[in-house]
Amino acid sequence: MSRAAAVLGLCALLCLLPFAEARASYDPLASGTATISLSSSFRSLLHREGIRLSGRKGARVVGQKRIVLPVRGGEADPTVSKGSFELGGEVALSSPGHSLPLTFLTINAKPSPLYAKVGGGQQKVARAKNASFLRRGFDYGYKASGLTLNKKTATRLDKRLKVKGFEAGQLLGSLKVMANPATVAILPAGRATLTLDPAFAAKLSLLFVSRNPIFPAEHQGDAFTLPIATGGQLSPDGAQGTLRTEGALELLALGYGQLFWKELWFQPAQAQALGEAELDPSPPYPGKQPEAGIFAMGAGRVTSDPAARTITVAGEQLTLTPLTAKDLNEGFSQPQERGDLFAAGEAAGSFSFTAQGQ
């Protein structure tokens, strides 16, 4: 390989790196706890200089040895071992006649993990000798040891507290944070199953409506399977987020209507399955319609396996929305002089899946 070709190949690789980073999927963090453990030498320094620590707004100081703070937000991606843990509360350092608050504390999964506003702008507080990203079931964390004080922070502490004991490189201690995600990114793996209700299927058969899968959907009888698509996120308890699927269902009555339900998105918090409905031929029917609720969703049985990072929903009940009932009546029932056979709230089927978190 020529040198020019090698350079061109390297340039191409470097150009792809930002796109690879952009594909990282960060899970939003909901809550958790961070603990900063102070080294004996740092505690001795505080005692010698007459400095005391106190916690405010949710932060706690335990025996002047540990600082405990709640996780209020942030994001993490276990596939690249990166994350940012936003902490609540404040820590105040007080010397005789002086006080300095540490606010907006953050732990980043970086060599310098601890950040805070130290009586001014945000700055790196300490650098770690050893650090590692943690993953326990659905939860994410970060731990760091050998934390040493940043030069800028040491200078700020001396200046604001009117002491001369803080130095750059001084051993601060260690930290550990664990947080649970609000939702986890769902991998495009496995299939969801939509099974039509027997009474609903019987009405369709009465109207000579065939039920067909559109690739990559598949079916056996009135049980349709839809590939789980990328881009979905679900909470570990299955109560929040969106499960996206690929493929479509076709309802067809020769000589009458043809109805498609495309790319269904199941949203448990909104109790609905969104999708793109298309009722043909157009005219006289509306053709493609804006994304809207195809089904209303009822309760299902949810089980989660933290070790496998899977979320399983079984038997989630689906009922017709007013839009879907209207499409079914206009496309199949009314043209055959059967009136309005379909009604909003009518049982349409059930939905089940096992989703794999990243």
Side-chain angles (χ1 to χ4, degrees):
M1 179 186 294
S2 69
R3 181 176 180 182
V7 170
L8 288 174
L10 178 60
C11 289
L13 179 61
L14 291 174
C15 288
L16 288 174
L17 286 177
F19 296 98
E21 180 72 14
R23 285 196 296 271
S25 182
Y26 284 84
D27 295 335
L29 301 177
S31 61
T33 302
T35 301
I36 302 171
S37 300
L38 303 178
S39 68
S40 58
S41 60
F42 194 79
R43 297 199 308 269
S44 296
L45 166 64
L46 296 180
H47 180 73
R48 187 170 62 249
E49 298 291 343
I51 298 171
R52 289 192 60 81
L53 302 175
S54 59
R56 304 187 299 212
K57 300 181 180 179
R60 294 185 295 115
V61 175
V62 182
Q64 299 296 301
K65 295 180 179 181
R66 291 181 292 118
I67 303 169
V68 182
L69 305 108
V71 176
R72 299 298 193 200
E75 59 181 13
D77 183 352
T79 65
V80 292
S81 297
K82 291 185 177 181
S84 177
F85 303 82
E86 299 171 3
L87 309 181
E90 299 177 356
V91 179
L93 293 86
S94 301
S95 63
H98 303 282
S99 180
L100 176 64
L102 274 63
T103 60
F104 295 96
L105 286 95
T106 303
I107 295 174
N108 293 324
K110 295 180 177 181
S112 294
L114 186 58
Y115 288 69
K117 283 190 174 183
V118 186
Q122 194 86 353
Q123 61 182 258
K124 298 176 184 178
V125 174
R127 183 175 181 84
K129 182 178 181 180
N130 301 297
S132 59
F133 189 88
L134 304 175
R135 181 172 178 172
R136 295 178 182 171
F138 290 110
D139 294 349
Y140 308 131
Y142 196 71
K143 66 177 181 179
S145 60
L147 291 174
T148 54
L149 208 57
N150 177 274
K151 180 180 179 181
K152 186 175 180 180
T153 301
T155 301
R156 183 70 56 84
L157 291 171
D158 273 345
K159 182 177 180 181
R160 292 297 184 89
L161 297 174
K162 304 302 180 184
V163 297
K164 294 184 179 180
F166 295 100
E167 297 177 355
Q170 201 162 43
L171 184 62
L172 175 63
S174 61
L175 63 80
K176 182 178 179 180
V177 59
M178 290 299 301
N180 59 282
T183 58
V184 297
I186 300 303
L187 298 179
R191 304 177 77 88
T193 300
L194 193 162
T195 303
L196 298 183
D197 180 84
F200 176 64
K203 284 187 179 182
L204 294 174
S205 295
L206 178 68
L207 297 170
F208 308 101
V209 178
S210 63
R211 286 82 75 185
N212 309 300
I214 303 299
F215 185 82
E218 299 175 354
H219 80 137
Q220 284 189 335
D222 283 322
F224 293 80
T225 63
L226 307 165
I228 295 174
T230 189
Q233 285 195 328
L234 288 173
S235 60
D237 63 2
Q240 304 288 331
T242 300
L243 182 84
R244 301 184 181 186
T245 65
E246 296 180 309
L249 278 66
E250 176 199 44
L251 306 182
L252 174 64
L254 294 176
Y256 298 104
Q258 181 183 30
L259 177 62
F260 296 94
W261 295 324
K262 301 179 181 179
E263 297 185 355
L264 295 173
W265 291 16
F266 295 86
Q267 299 180 314
Q270 289 75 33
Q272 66 177 355
L274 288 177
E276 297 178 1
E278 180 178 342
L279 181 57
D280 296 322
S282 176
Y285 301 124
K288 291 184 178 180
Q289 302 171 52
E291 184 180 70
I294 303 296
F295 301 112
M297 293 169 54
R301 299 182 303 278
V302 180
T303 56
S304 298
D305 184 343
R309 294 179 61 77
T310 57
I311 303 161
T312 298
V313 173
E316 190 138 31
Q317 298 302 303
L318 304 177
T319 57
L320 300 181
T321 61
L323 169 66
T324 302
K326 179 175 179 291
D327 282 346
L328 290 167
N329 287 324
E330 287 185 357
F332 307 119
S333 179
Q334 293 171 3
Q336 298 183 54
E337 299 182 353
R338 295 278 186 169
D340 291 341
L341 282 184
F342 303 95
E346 176 182 340
S350 62
F351 183 66
S352 302
F353 64 86
T354 295
Q356 178 66 60
Q358 68 173 353

